[in-house]
Amino acid sequence: MGKQKLCLGVFLGAVAGGLTALCDKETRSFTKQQLKLVKNTTGYYVKHPTDAIRNVQDTLNGLNQKVNANADNAINALEQVEETLNKISKKDEPKKLESTM
C-alpha cells in the first residue's frame, strides 16, 4: 500500500512539475522540437527495423569492448598491487641467520 502511494505521489508530482514548466514559452518550444525529433526517429526505425537492430548491436559491442578493457585494466592494477605487497612483505620478514657448524 505504501509503495503504491509513493509511486502515485511521484507520478503526480512529475505531472504537476511538467505542466508548470510548460507555462514558459521557451520550454514549450523546446518540448515541441524534442517531440518532433522523437516522432521522426521513431517513424524511421518503424520503417527500417534492421537499422535499429544494427545500431543496438553496434552499441552493445562497443559497450562490451569498454567493459573488457576496463576489466583488463583492473586486473593489471590488482596484479601490480599484489607484486608491491609481496615486495614489502619480503622486506619486513626478519632475515634468518645461518648457523655455522
Side-chain angles (χ1 to χ4, degrees), residues 18-79:
L19 291 175
T20 303
L22 290 176
C23 291
D24 181 39
K25 184 176 182 179
E26 185 179 331
T27 305
R28 283 193 311 271
S29 174
F30 176 75
T31 303
K32 187 176 178 181
Q33 290 172 350
Q34 293 300 311
L35 288 173
K36 282 183 183 180
L37 178 64
V38 168
K39 177 186 170 191
N40 291 337
T41 304
T42 304
Y44 174 80
Y45 284 129
V46 166
K47 292 178 183 176
H48 304 94
T50 55
D51 288 346
I53 293 169
R54 187 178 308 114
N55 287 342
V56 169
Q57 286 175 337
D58 291 344
T59 302
L60 290 176
N61 286 336
L63 178 65
N64 189 26
Q65 290 173 355
K66 288 179 183 178
V67 167
N68 286 337
N70 287 332
D72 289 341
N73 290 340
I75 290 170
N76 289 335
L78 289 173
E79 287 174 351

Side-chain angles (χ1 to χ4, degrees), residues 1 3 15 32 56 68 83 96:
M1 189 65 161
K3 183 179 178 181
V15 169
K32 187 176 178 181
V56 169
N68 286 337
E83 288 174 12
K96 295 180 182 177

Side-chain angles (χ1 to χ4, degrees), residues 83-95:
E83 288 174 12
T84 304
L85 289 174
N86 286 337
K87 288 178 185 177
I88 291 172
S89 66
K90 285 182 182 178
K91 287 181 181 178
D92 289 344
E93 289 178 0
K95 294 183 180 180

